[in-house]
Amino acid sequence: MLIALASVIGLGVTCQWVAWRLKIPAILLLLLTGLAAGAGTAWLTNHGLLTARFLNPDQLFGHLLLPVVSLSVALILFEGGLTLNVAELKQGGRVIWRLVSIGALVSAVISSFAAYYILDLPRGLAVLVGSILVVTGPTVIGPLLRFVKPVGIVGPVLRWEGIVIDPIGALLAVVVFEAVAAGEVNPGHIAWITGFTVLVGTIIGLIGAVLVVLLLQRNLTPDHLENPLVVMLVLVCFAASNTIQHESGLVAVTIMGIALANQRRVPVHHILEFKESLTILLIASLFILLGARLSLDQLAMLDWRVVLFIVILVVIVRPLSVLAATAGSNFSWRERTFLACMAPRGIVAAAVASVFALRLLNLNYPQADRLVPITFAVVSGTVLIYGVAGPFLSKRLGLSKPGASGFLIVGAGPVARMLGEVIQREGLEVLLVDTNTENTRAARLAGLPVTLGNALSRSVADAIALSSIGRMIAVTPNSEVNSLAVLQFGRQFGKHNVYQLSGGESTKSARDKTAQSLRGQVLFNDVFTYNHLVDQMEAGAIIKTTRLTKEFDYAAYRARHGETTVSMFVLNDRRELQVITPETTLAPKPGWTILNFGMPTKTAISHDPAGASSSNNA
């Protein structure tokens, strides 16, 4: 058992790493790995090529499998709730609520009809399938959004929809199941179940959030126990809510996460950071386990009708849901198109289907054994379709910029303005933030987007959330401020995407005085302190641009400019901007552009003898 569990976790993490290296959605690899580890090895075993099936989740966990899946989903939804900012509702709130209400209803109705007429399911089971499949979920939306990186409001809208729709979908499925099991539809009973489930989940979720705030605010627990305590409270709230009212636990953990994310009494960023790491492991393991759970007999139930059903979900159901939700809104046709082309189903759909399939089988309900393979086929098919089409469509629609390549520049002084102008000129998004009024005024006069205030404030976080910004440069005169910015945005962008200058002291000295965890990558080279850059700029130094050619390659560039200029950025042939650090190993190719800092030449634009162009840019 230990070997199997270690293998699942190892395979999950490996799939995510391979997907990151290949720049493809990780979920696709996780699904394929789960199928290969389960049904794939079962087929090999049946043909005598293996002695035993590699992974059998039911044998591994027994009756604990579905409870483990349910608790894992609870933690994933709680982490998703922690990422939701109520301020995002100012722009897309109306569309979000309509997506999870009108859109969900449209999806459930059309999906139910399709399941009844195309899949030839009994009427009750068809309605249950349609109800389960209204969910999308953070387990699939989150990774795809991180991969696609859409700009503007569509990202927050999809994130909110994916998290809020899960408890709504689960609640809808519970209501339908009660009607199917009873064999009749009682409107009064359905209304009671719906209202009571939402009420119980909301109350328990708010109680859990208040408990976390009180424990942290009054320092009733040591730092090293804060994250384990929060995990314990999340699971307790989930279990307690489900005990009072079945399937209200998903509502409880979602409300708990949203409430904690939007309160102002205690910081919860360290909790979110821990939950993000935990969620990555849970998502990887769950997809592999549920994928491996499918048997060859269940896969044999899938035929052309299931494929047609998935096509209808993608081509008809989702576009009509989005059309109903965005009617009368100010969303552009590009944003509506992208929303209509992003609705993958995830773990919640698979988990809920597994639970209700067991109950229906115990009731001897006809064709109940088809519920799980159909649902998993939809999960696999929609993830495959949207995972492949999403990045392509976002680029074609102009709603994403690869790699979140924009820059947040902490500081708006002369150094920050010089860097901001250069980055903006290369077509990348840039945002400067400074507490100095004169600096921000000068940045606005220079045509640079700038915010007056603290870089660590909520307003800056909100601005970044709706942008293509994914890197940070700290260039204030104060090295402590730079280090704080690195600490804050290193968690958000990754340590490899945050850079800083030293303020008034040598970089080597700053390295000795500042802990490694509080420093970003050093900008440009070890001698470029803030004061040094300002002195050079006052003496007339500027950023110059040199484009390499076959005749004037990097070796020729070094021979000509190596002693008089310092390379700051490199722009490759795909227009991707790379920041130079002391650890960077440069190997530019012909067609690449080097942005270097040094004294200007006598002419505004000069040409190297070998044909490379070099221009001076203030």
Side-chain angles (χ1 to χ4, degrees):
M1 180 175 180
L2 289 177
I3 295 177
L5 285 174
S7 299
V8 169
I9 296 174
L11 284 172
V13 175
T14 301
C15 286
Q16 301 214 36
W17 180 82
V18 171
W20 170 73
R21 293 290 297 177
L22 298 178
K23 296 184 178 180
I24 61 175
I27 297 173
L28 298 179
L29 285 182
L30 293 171
L31 287 172
L32 292 175
T33 300
L35 290 172
T41 56
W43 184 87
L44 294 174
T45 301
N46 293 342
H47 288 75
L49 300 176
L50 288 178
T51 57
R53 183 174 176 176
F54 177 75
L55 182 60
N56 188 337
D58 290 300
Q59 183 179 355
L60 182 64
F61 289 94
H63 295 297
L64 292 177
L65 177 61
L66 293 181
V68 167
V69 172
S70 297
L71 292 175
S72 300
V73 170
L75 290 173
I76 292 170
L77 279 182
F78 173 71
E79 189 269 336
L82 282 175
T83 66
L84 296 181
N85 181 5
V86 173
E88 295 170 344
L89 297 178
K90 294 178 182 179
Q91 288 184 278
R94 181 186 175 193
V95 171
I96 292 170
W97 297 127
R98 292 178 70 175
L99 275 173
V100 300
S101 56
I102 299 174
L105 182 60
V106 170
S107 176
V109 171
I110 301 178
S111 299
S112 299
F113 274 105
Y116 180 71
Y117 287 106
I118 295 176
L119 299 179
D120 197 25
L121 294 175
R123 184 174 301 173
L125 189 60
V127 176
L128 183 60
V129 168
S131 303
I132 291 173
L133 295 180
V134 303
V135 302
T136 53
T139 58
V140 284
I141 284 292
L144 283 178
L145 289 180
R146 284 194 293 270
F147 181 76
V148 175
K149 296 182 176 67
V151 298
I153 192 59
V154 291
V157 166
L158 285 169
R159 189 167 64 250
W160 268 92
E161 181 201 9
I163 294 169
V164 174
I165 196 67
D166 271 356
I168 292 176
L171 172 59
L172 182 60
V174 169
V175 171
V176 172
F177 174 79
E178 293 287 342
V180 170
E184 62 177 353
V185 178
N186 186 330
H189 183 60
I190 289 176
W192 161 252
I193 292 176
T194 303
F196 190 62
T197 302
V198 173
L199 179 64
V200 170
T202 301
I203 292 175
I204 296 295
L206 291 176
I207 291 174
V210 170
L211 287 175
V212 172
V213 170
L214 290 176
L215 289 172
L216 298 182
Q217 188 178 33
R218 299 183 181 182
N219 297 317
L220 297 178
T221 181
D223 291 347
H224 68 281
L225 289 180
E226 285 183 356
N227 284 324
L229 183 67
V230 172
V231 171
M232 181 268 291
L233 286 175
V234 171
L235 298 181
V236 167
C237 287
F238 176 75
S241 188
N242 269 352
T243 300
I244 298 173
Q245 175 61 25
H246 186 63
E247 295 303 331
S248 66
L250 294 181
V251 178
V253 295
T254 304
I255 294 295
M256 184 177 175
I258 295 174
L260 281 176
N262 292 277
Q263 54 80 35
R264 297 291 181 268
R265 293 182 177 273
V266 295
V268 293
H269 57 79
H270 60 295
I271 297 175
L272 177 59
E273 183 179 6
F274 171 74
K275 292 295 185 297
E276 286 176 343
S277 301
L278 182 61
T279 298
I280 289 174
L281 292 177
L282 291 176
I283 290 175
S285 302
L286 287 178
F287 268 103
I288 290 178
L289 285 174
L290 292 180
R293 191 166 182 261
L294 283 176
S295 66
L296 292 173
D297 292 336
Q298 288 177 314
L299 291 176
M301 296 179 185
L302 304 178
D303 53 19
W304 65 269
R305 293 177 299 176
V306 177
V307 175
L308 179 59
F309 180 66
I310 295 172
V311 171
I312 289 176
L313 292 179
V314 173
V315 177
I316 298 177
V317 175
R318 177 61 177 182
L320 288 179
S321 299
V322 171
L323 183 63
T326 58
S329 70
N330 59 356
F331 276 45
S332 67
W333 70 268
R334 290 184 175 85
E335 292 169 330
R336 298 184 192 202
T337 301
F338 186 74
L339 289 176
C341 296
M342 188 59 67
R345 276 63 172 183
I347 286 295
V348 172
V352 171
S354 299
V355 171
F356 288 140
L358 288 177
R359 295 181 183 178
L360 290 174
L361 286 171
N362 292 334
L363 295 174
N364 295 319
Y365 198 89
Q367 300 191 49
D369 56 342
R370 295 181 63 193
L371 180 59
V372 171
I374 288 173
T375 303
F376 200 87
V378 171
V379 171
S380 304
T382 55
V383 166
L384 178 63
I385 293 171
Y386 294 123
V388 173
F392 172 77
L393 280 173
S394 64
K395 293 177 183 178
R396 296 288 295 178
L397 295 171
L399 293 177
S400 70
K401 295 183 179 179
S405 52
F407 285 85
L408 172 69
I409 301 180
V410 179
V415 175
R417 296 196 298 272
M418 174 185 69
L419 297 176
E421 289 176 4
V422 170
I423 294 171
Q424 190 178 61
R425 190 184 66 242
E426 298 303 335
L428 300 179
E429 187 168 3
V430 65
L431 174 66
L432 281 65
V433 57
D434 201 317
T435 56
N436 186 293
T437 305
E438 293 183 3
N439 285 343
T440 56
R441 184 183 298 114
R444 288 192 185 95
L445 291 174
L448 293 168
V450 63
T451 295
L452 176 64
N454 192 324
L456 309 183
S457 67
R458 169 70 69 165
S459 60
V460 174
D462 294 344
I464 293 173
L466 302 179
S467 71
S468 63
I469 291 174
R471 292 181 280 183
M472 189 277 297
I473 294 177
V475 286
T476 74
N478 190 315
S479 60
E480 284 77 17
V481 171
N482 294 340
S483 294
L484 282 174
V486 163
L487 184 63
Q488 171 74 13
F489 294 102
R491 288 189 291 263
Q492 184 171 351
F493 299 147
K495 293 180 180 179
H496 60 289
N497 285 323
V498 292
Y499 310 85
Q500 72 178 103
L501 285 173
S502 173
E505 58 187 1
S506 71
T507 303
K508 187 177 187 303
S509 175
R511 286 181 174 179
D512 295 337
K513 294 180 180 179
T514 308
Q516 176 70 30
S517 61
L518 300 180
R519 289 190 287 102
Q521 298 187 75
V522 177
L523 277 169
F524 314 136
N525 64 28
D526 286 330
V527 301
F528 265 27
T529 64
Y530 183 88
N531 290 339
H532 177 78
L533 275 172
V534 171
D535 291 342
Q536 291 291 309
M537 291 176 64
E538 290 177 350
I542 59 173
I543 296 181
K544 301 180 290 185
T545 301
T546 302
R547 187 173 185 275
L548 302 181
T549 65
K550 291 182 179 180
E551 294 77 16
F552 190 79
D553 58 11
Y554 184 58
Y557 164 83
R558 290 289 299 166
R560 183 178 178 87
H561 299 292
E563 301 298 326
T564 59
T565 64
V566 175
S567 299
M568 284 186 162
F569 303 98
V570 171
L571 192 68
N572 64 23
D573 50 4
R574 297 189 300 274
R575 307 298 296 173
E576 296 171 342
L577 192 69
Q578 176 186 359
V579 182
I580 305 301
T581 70
E583 288 75 27
T584 301
T585 301
L586 276 180
K589 301 176 182 178
W592 291 26
T593 301
I594 300 177
L595 285 72
N596 47 69
F597 184 73
M599 300 303 293
T601 55
K602 293 181 180 180
T603 57
I605 299 178
S606 63
H607 295 275
D608 288 296
S613 63
S614 179
S615 62
N616 300 331
N617 299 283

